[in-house]
Amino acid sequence: MLGGTFDPVHLGHLRSAVELREVLNLDRVHMVLAKVPPLRGKPQVSARDRLALLRLGVGDTPGLLADPRELEREGPSYSADTLASLRQEYGPEACLVMVLGHDAFLRLSDWRSPKRLFELAHLVVIDRPDFDAPLSQPLRELIAGREVDSGEMLMQRPAGGLLRLALPTRLAISATEVRRRLAEGSSVRYLLPEAVEARLLTDSLYRHS
Ligand code: ATP
């Protein structure tokens, strides 16, 4: 599972999902759209529009899924609930992995039921350019004894481990910068898939921030 606000989806998300699938030999990467992200401000466009963009971005990429399950639940989108639903779908023996960029990982101890996340899945943290602040004390306590050195070690159990990964391609693209550029009318070419860019421009999304 690679969860996100995807406000909007960009090539940093999509290229990371493709490389994760290759590096960890995953069957599928569920890109799960957060309807109401608990720890940040209201997204600029509706969940429906963000999902439409995510679907366009994923297109027919093998192994990637635009997953709308959090849109079907009321209230804030807690990852523990999403992982529980994936666990139910794939069964107790399957290896489940929750993927986070380093910036999101730094805030993990503020999430709802962070310990439960490790009961349901492994955590994989991917390097992200410009984000390398040190870990807080609560975060270090949360991950103590969980870290492993390789994907093979991680995949020996269904859940509970932590792996930090530097993927082959690190893209310094953020949705914040994409929104800023769209609001001022600058080009976003090659920061997003062309189909996503075309829809954004046709529907005038993110034009007034
Ligand atoms: P914003 O700038 O609005 O905070 P974002 O670009 O960080 O958005 P999110 O939807 O918040 O996008 O990110 C979803 C997940 O993808 C997070 O775990 C985040 O760390 C990760 N991620 C986002 N951009 C990248 C990138 N360029 N490379 C690697 N991981 C990324």
Side-chain angles (χ1 to χ4, degrees), residues 39-92:
L39 291 180
R40 53 185 282 164
K42 198 166 175 282
Q44 283 208 359
V45 313
S46 71
R48 245 188 66 217
D49 282 336
R50 286 181 287 124
L51 180 64
L53 296 172
L54 180 61
R55 287 195 163 123
L56 284 169
V58 166
D60 59 2
T61 312
L64 263 52
L65 299 170
D67 188 328
R69 74 184 65 214
E70 290 188 0
L71 274 55
E72 287 146 20
R73 291 201 305 264
E74 288 305 315
S77 313
Y78 294 117
S79 295
D81 298 336
T82 306
L83 288 173
S85 115
L86 285 164
R87 176 56 74 197
Q88 205 169 25
E89 194 174 315
Y90 285 96

Side-chain angles (χ1 to χ4, degrees), residues 2-13 16 40 99-105 107 111 126-129 131 167 169-177 179:
L2 170 58
T5 315
F6 303 125
D7 188 26
V9 66
H10 54 67
L11 290 179
H13 301 127
S16 298
R40 53 185 282 164
V99 182
L100 289 176
H102 190 75
D103 57 310
F105 174 60
R107 298 191 305 264
W111 289 25
I126 49 179
D127 258 14
R128 195 174 166 187
F131 294 96
L167 292 172
T169 311
R170 269 164 280 174
L171 294 167
I173 303 175
S174 72
T176 303
E177 175 64 7
R179 290 193 301 273

